[in-house]
Amino acid sequence: MGEVPSSSLRRVVITGLGVVAPNGIGKEAFWQACVDGRSGLRPISRFDASNLPSRIAGEVQDFEPQQFGLTPQEIQHVDRATQFALSAAHLALQDAAYSTPLSESAREQTGVYMGLALACVEAGERMCQQFNDYTKDDEQASAQLLLPHSAASSIAAHHQFYGPCSTIATGCSAGADAIGQAFWMIQEGRAQCMIAGGTDASISYGVQNAFCVMGALSTAYNDEPERASRPYDNKRDGFVMAEGAGVIVLEEREQAIARGAHIYAEILAFASNCNAYHMTALPPSGTPLSALLRQVLSDADIALRHVGYINSHGSSTRPNEIAETAAYKTVFGEQAYHMPISATKSLIGHPQGAASAIEALVTALVLDEQLIPPTINQEEADAACDLDYVPNTAREANVDVALTHSSGFGGVNSVLVLARPDWMHA
């Protein structure tokens, strides 16, 4: 792909938000739960987890895909993660008032990028259990259930979007990576509108057992699941598996203004790198993350003093959060101690490939609402995590520029820089 001169790069804005999360479906219900500090974590109900060390998760409750425009055939032929993605995309397009069907030329300029981590695993386990009942009639449904590209291609097919369509599989940073690469497509003039985000539905016996064996999941709060995800707290003992989807509508700014769209935020920059250190852990120094933060702020042409909020990866994993904190201090210095930072995973658990997309959505709402949701379950701060992690209570704020940071399997770090619309020109 040839490099586009910076003078011709186009501005990209966020005009629609759609979310399916353990603590709420739809932007309004989800945002209110976040602001209120309401957890979506509960005992696992999708399978018998009674013999596992960790028996809790962030399951999406009362999900009825037909309410979000899915046809009976789509519901039958795609897995739960793709149903989440289709539903979140429906909500995002509705929120953006980006009405479909569009003209042929508009559909050619509209694409879909989606991120995922373990989206096909639950369907694969179920199919293995039903293998002996296989019939020829199941062939098409079975193939689509296992396709990692199903979420992106299903959204494109449902809405007849003919633009760029791709799937990003970088684990827990996949949603942010999909949004970031969709941002580049519009910025470089290769699309006018992109539907982007992440989805996952990997709450299954096999996945839960695997993460238990790794010692990654919380086991101390099976009787109090709402307290289990506690980023930066001294009593945290691992993350909580979750599911869901976050989808954002990105548009070229002039198009959005011309059609009178509500603009939540402008995307200023996206960057990613690799720790080249460990499959899941950050280096204790946080050095690769520090380098990435500096790079993305340089790309955005933003001074440190402009950053007023960070939505952190904050998964309730002790070593990683210590490394995150070290990176923030290295980059921001004294400012790090006075800058609010909050962790959405305290409220919803860790929905894998959907996590960073939902966190980007939260960051856009922070800029739009000038309100910061809390990091709940902060009872005894870890001495090594001594920054302002907005404990337990939402906070009014005056934020012009915000970052959202995520880390994915394989050591991927990703950062998006979002700004209040036209803040530089106010």
Side-chain angles (χ1 to χ4, degrees), residues 162-185:
Y162 300 131
C165 185
S166 189
T167 296
I168 313 296
T170 47
C172 315
S173 65
D177 291 340
I179 293 168
Q181 295 194 35
F183 158 70
W184 285 341
M185 295 299 290

Side-chain angles (χ1 to χ4, degrees), residues 106-382:
R107 284 183 283 154
E108 289 175 352
Q109 287 294 311
T110 302
V112 184
Y113 274 22
M114 289 296 294
L116 56 84
L118 302 168
C120 306
V121 173
E122 190 266 351
E125 285 187 29
R126 181 160 33 87
M127 285 175 61
C128 287
Q129 293 168 358
Q130 297 170 349
F131 185 80
N132 290 334
D133 297 326
Y134 171 80
T135 67
K136 188 69 175 177
D137 293 338
D138 296 328
E139 186 171 344
Q140 181 181 352
S142 297
Q144 195 166 353
L145 283 168
L146 292 179
L147 288 174
H149 192 46
S150 176
S153 60
S154 294
I155 293 170
H158 183 94
H159 297 283
Q160 294 293 281
F161 294 148
Y162 300 131
C165 185
S166 189
T167 296
I168 313 296
T170 47
C172 315
S173 65
D177 291 340
I179 293 168
Q181 295 194 35
F183 158 70
W184 285 341
M185 295 299 290
I186 299 174
Q187 189 183 51
E188 296 179 0
R190 304 176 193 280
Q192 283 287 107
C193 177
M194 293 292 293
I195 316 306
T199 189
D200 241 310
S202 51
I203 302 175
S204 69
Y205 185 89
V207 171
Q208 192 80 1
N209 184 52
F211 279 112
C212 283
V213 170
M214 291 169 59
L217 299 183
S218 172
T219 60
Y221 298 92
N222 285 317
D223 296 329
E224 299 175 287
E226 296 90 348
R227 297 181 63 213
S229 186
R230 43 198 316 114
Y232 311 105
D233 185 80
N234 204 36
K235 296 179 181 177
R236 65 196 184 283
D237 71 326
F239 75 85
V240 181
M241 184 64 69
E243 63 182 0
V247 173
I248 290 175
V249 177
L250 294 80
E251 289 187 69
E252 191 272 326
R253 178 177 174 273
E254 296 306 316
Q255 171 182 288
I257 291 173
R259 68 180 192 85
H262 174 73
I263 296 175
Y264 289 94
E266 180 172 356
I267 302 181
L268 301 184
F270 163 74
S272 68
N273 70 2
C274 185
N275 296 319
Y277 173 75
H278 188 272
M279 181 58 69
T280 58
L282 294 171
S285 66
T287 300
L289 177 56
S290 301
L292 182 63
L293 289 167
R294 289 193 176 105
Q295 176 192 334
V296 78
L297 291 170
S298 175
D299 291 348
D301 195 20
I302 294 297
L304 295 177
R305 68 179 184 278
H306 292 140
V307 179
Y309 169 69
I310 296 176
N311 187 290
S312 69
H313 181 72
S315 60
S316 198
T317 305
R318 189 179 299 269
N320 288 3
E321 289 168 355
I322 292 173
E324 288 173 33
T325 303
Y328 299 149
K329 291 177 181 178
T330 298
V331 173
F332 291 97
E334 183 62 27
Q335 179 183 335
Y337 292 89
H338 309 289
M339 183 170 53
I341 302 167
S342 67
T344 302
K345 292 183 185 74
S346 66
L347 297 153
I348 63 171
H350 195 341
Q352 304 297 310
S356 57
I358 294 174
E359 289 156 0
L361 184 148
V362 167
T363 306
L365 283 168
V366 167
L367 290 163
D368 190 61
E369 300 283 345
Q370 293 294 298
L371 188 63
I372 297 174
T375 304
I376 64 170
N377 298 318
Q378 284 249 303
E379 297 173 353
E380 179 186 325
D382 184 336

